[in-house]
Amino acid sequence: MKYMTNMEDVFVHYNSPDEYANAFQQMIDAREKWREQIRQQEAQMAV
Amino acid sequence: MKLSAEKLNQHSPYQLVQINDMAFGFVTDQHIQYKVGFYKYTYFMGDGSYLFFIDNIEHEHGTYDPKILDVVTLILEEFFNQEPTVMLYICDPTDQRQAARDRLYHLWFYDYARNHEMTLYSDSVTFKDTKYYTGILLRHDHPLHDKVLTYYQKFISHVPERYTHQEK
């Protein structure tokens, strides 16, 4: 599996506080992105 | 990865409606609508980790409903049976109930019959003046189990530093 053959490349590496902050902000923002994705897909299902 | 409502509905106490490959909707006996599913989070492990969300869209509060936990358990078991993967969560802080939500994850885990096969680790982070509760769930037999946990702890510990520094 990918995990087993390329272990060191699995993790995303950050080199600065800004990069860590951005990654965490993306985690926070993901909830609303997920909600929007759900809304759009439900709208498509309703058509 | 794809999770199938058809398969899950063989055991689910609530009928799941497939919204996408990794998300479902269901309505409880108390007529509360939930959405539940996963969102690929590529800022942690490339394509090997997912954020888990469960959302009561209308923010209605019913009485305690154990069937909701049964649905969550079914979905999580199917998720972890598909491939070695990692689930992350971050509790919604918008109504200041993020700590209570984090406790729900731990209560679920405590009651989960197969918790001896899993690791749950959670932490809190103050970021931009808001306290966030976030956690990670993975199987003990994940091929990178220890490395994933170590990386998660490093990741979380590095998040607030910039903001602590800025406030001085």
Side-chain angles (χ1 to χ4, degrees):
Chain A
M1 293 192 67
K2 179 180 173 186
Y3 293 118
M4 300 297 283
T5 57
N6 203 10
M7 290 172 63
E8 298 309 316
D9 291 339
V10 168
F11 300 106
V12 181
H13 294 284
Y14 299 109
N15 298 311
S16 71
D18 275 340
E19 289 179 356
Y20 277 104
N22 179 60
F24 193 67
Q25 186 65 54
Q26 295 295 328
M27 185 187 288
I28 295 166
D29 294 345
R31 178 183 303 280
E32 200 47 51
K33 290 179 181 174
W34 179 74
R35 284 175 173 158
E36 182 56 32
Q37 186 184 73
I38 296 294
R39 277 193 289 268
Q40 288 182 6
Q41 285 163 336
E42 284 195 308
Q44 288 173 3
M45 289 161 63
V47 173
Chain B
M1 188 188 298
K2 179 175 181 177
L3 306 176
S4 163
E6 186 178 357
K7 182 177 179 184
L8 291 165
N9 280 330
Q10 293 173 17
H11 301 286
S12 177
Y14 290 130
Q15 187 76 15
L16 297 173
V17 175
Q18 189 106 34
I19 299 173
N20 63 36
D21 283 354
M22 299 191 71
F24 309 96
F26 65 92
V27 182
T28 69
D29 292 336
Q30 298 174 63
H31 309 292
I32 298 173
Q33 293 187 46
Y34 280 86
K35 311 296 179 198
V36 59
F38 301 88
Y39 188 85
K40 189 172 280 190
Y41 179 61
T42 56
Y43 292 83
F44 185 72
M45 286 182 65
D47 61 357
S49 62
Y50 293 84
L51 282 159
F52 175 77
F53 296 117
I54 179 164
D55 224 3
N56 167 356
I57 299 291
E58 287 135 10
H59 305 291
E60 296 176 25
H61 297 288
T63 56
Y64 174 69
D65 183 349
K67 291 182 182 177
I68 297 172
L69 291 181
D70 291 341
V71 171
V72 168
T73 300
L74 268 176
I75 292 171
L76 293 185
E77 284 194 334
E78 182 64 13
F79 172 75
F80 283 108
N81 282 339
Q82 297 253 329
E83 58 187 69
T85 190
V86 172
M87 184 197 109
L88 300 166
Y89 68 82
I90 182 165
C91 299
D92 187 354
T94 51
D95 55 1
Q96 308 299 319
R97 298 181 66 220
Q98 59 268 45
R101 294 191 174 96
D102 187 57
R103 280 195 295 277
L104 283 177
Y105 279 101
H106 285 267
L107 288 172
W108 168 82
F109 187 74
Y110 181 79
D111 284 341
Y112 177 44
R114 294 172 62 186
N115 62 12
H116 58 283
E117 298 174 13
M118 311 286 293
T119 297
L120 173 68
Y121 177 87
S122 73
D123 213 337
S124 61
V125 176
T126 299
F127 182 75
K128 295 183 179 176
D129 298 326
T130 298
K131 192 166 189 176
Y132 291 92
Y133 287 82
T134 177
I136 186 168
L137 184 66
L138 70 165
R139 281 170 42 157
H140 285 170
D141 61 357
H142 189 292
L144 292 174
H145 178 277
D146 293 352
K147 287 178 184 287
V148 171
L149 270 187
T150 300
Y151 178 72
Y152 173 80
Q153 290 161 349
K154 176 189 169 192
F155 178 82
I156 294 301
S157 70
H158 278 72
V159 169
E161 286 182 3
R162 171 175 181 255
Y163 295 90
T164 304
H165 179 71
Q166 277 192 335
E167 288 165 6
K168 288 180 181 174

